[in-house]
Amino acid sequence: MSDREARTPTPAELRILRILWRLGPSTVHEVHAALATEKSVGYTTALKMLQVMTEKELVERETVGRAHRYRPVAAEETTQRQLLRDLVDRAFGGSVDALVLRALSDVDVPQADLEEIERLLSRERERRS
Amino acid sequence: MSDREARTPTPAELRILRILWRLGPSTVHEVHAALATEKSVGYTTALKMLQVMTEKELVERETVGRAHRYRPVAAEETTQRQLLRDLVDRAFGGSVDALVLRALSDVDVPQADLEEIERLLSRERERRS
DNA sequence: AAGCATATACGAAACCTGTCGTACTTGCAA
DNA sequence: TTGCAAGTACGACAGGTTTCGTATATGCTT
């Protein structure tokens, strides 16, 4: 249990990571302030989360005076990929395109986005040729 | 707590749902047999899961002699959409296309799949015009 | 009718997540 | 130098998930 596993972050952990990706390295105070705008939560809760996340190596911290400044260990992109991989495996039998197709068939996706994705997709496809 | 919430299934629940979607309505015995091929787990564990899932209304059951036959309440497609919606909200700031783009940039997606998706995408786009 | 095989029901333990209260530390201002 | 403000550390608990052991019910075979 003490080692390298790179488990996917829990929902509460992800909420904090998103704040750190947005704000950059931040103190508990700053994280708590940002968190409190979307969800009522105590200061020590934010602190404890960050401590646990440090333990799990989801974040690193640097000492600044008497306080700590936290930063995410993984880039947002990396974590998003990991979460997608996880979902693809758990719910789509490992097929990325089954997931993509399902996502695109969502009625909420605006027409304009479909066109945009189509453009990016063909660019991506060509990049690989 | 007694009512309509439609929470997303937990990982273990999803494993069972996938079996039911694949096999159709099944007994505990059948679910356990299928489950055991991918993961070593006791019979009563499968039974208990199904009981809890019935409680949560993730599955329904019908009595067949002394046994029960279980079926998923929601279609696979519906659950996949729900899980995607959840991930989009938690990790992609609500943007479906951010998720799709990230999924497609995965190096594991074969070239042929990109082409396939492109085809389906343009069909979907036209369907909506 | 007895007894075995096959079911379900139920309770509880181990673990994880998320929340917070309380105790402790430390730097700085008066 | 004393004490307050601003921090961290730690323990604990409530709730949920996952696992399984044990108890109980029931139908079939002889």
Side-chain angles (χ1 to χ4, degrees), chain B residues 15 23 27 30 36 43-44 48 56 79 86 98 117 121 123 125:
Chain B
R15 237 177 283 128
L23 301 185
T27 61
E30 289 159 347
Y43 179 88
T44 56
K48 181 64 160 183
K56 292 184 180 178
T79 302
D86 184 60
I117 288 169
L121 186 48
R123 194 193 306 159
R125 190 168 49 71

Side-chain angles (χ1 to χ4, degrees), chain A residues 16-104:
Chain A
I16 286 179
L17 285 174
R18 285 179 62 74
I19 287 166
L20 290 176
W21 286 320
R22 179 157 46 87
L23 301 185
S26 309
T27 61
V28 179
H29 183 79
E30 290 160 346
V31 169
H32 175 246
L35 204 50
T37 67
E38 47 181 80
K39 187 173 190 304
S40 167
V41 70
Y43 179 88
T44 56
T45 301
L47 170 63
K48 181 62 160 184
M49 288 295 311
L50 285 166
Q51 286 170 346
V52 170
M53 289 169 78
T54 303
E55 187 64 31
K56 293 186 182 177
E57 295 181 79
L58 288 172
V59 296
E60 294 174 334
R61 67 190 192 179
E62 154 200 24
T63 302
V64 176
R66 63 202 145 173
H68 295 312
R69 188 181 306 287
Y70 291 86
R71 80 182 66 238
V73 166
E76 177 166 25
E77 191 174 317
T78 306
T79 302
Q80 288 175 334
R81 260 191 244 280
Q82 188 192 346
L83 289 166
L84 276 167
R85 169 48 55 195
D86 184 60
L87 186 59
V88 162
D89 289 342
R90 285 191 301 110
F92 293 88
S95 162
V96 174
D97 42 327
L99 177 145
V100 168
L101 260 6
R102 189 65 78 217
L104 292 175

Side-chain angles (χ1 to χ4, degrees), chain A residues 14 18 77 80-81 90-93 97 101-102 104-106 109 113 115 117-118 122 125 128, chain B residues 14 18 77 80-81 90-93 97 102 104-106 109 113 115 117-118 120 122 125 128:
Chain A
L14 190 53
R18 285 179 62 74
E77 191 174 317
Q80 288 175 334
R81 260 191 244 280
R90 285 191 301 110
F92 293 88
D97 42 327
L101 260 6
R102 189 65 78 217
L104 292 175
S105 69
D106 191 318
V109 183
D113 283 9
E115 290 165 12
I117 289 169
E118 223 173 328
S122 70
R125 190 168 49 73
R128 301 197 187 185
Chain B
L14 190 52
R18 286 180 61 74
E77 191 175 316
Q80 288 175 334
R81 259 191 244 281
R90 286 192 299 112
F92 294 88
D97 43 326
R102 189 64 77 219
L104 292 175
S105 70
D106 191 320
V109 183
D113 283 9
E115 289 165 12
I117 288 169
E118 223 173 327
L120 290 161
S122 71
R125 190 168 49 71
R128 300 196 188 186

Side-chain angles (χ1 to χ4, degrees), chain B residues 62-79:
Chain B
E62 152 200 27
T63 301
V64 175
R66 64 201 147 176
H68 294 314
R69 187 182 305 287
Y70 291 85
R71 81 184 64 240
V73 165
E76 178 166 27
E77 191 175 316
T78 305
T79 302

Side-chain angles (χ1 to χ4, degrees), chain B residues 7-26:
Chain B
R7 270 173 306 173
T8 73
T10 66
E13 286 166 352
L14 190 52
R15 237 177 283 128
I16 286 179
L17 285 174
R18 286 180 61 74
I19 287 167
L20 291 176
W21 286 320
R22 179 156 48 85
L23 301 185
S26 309

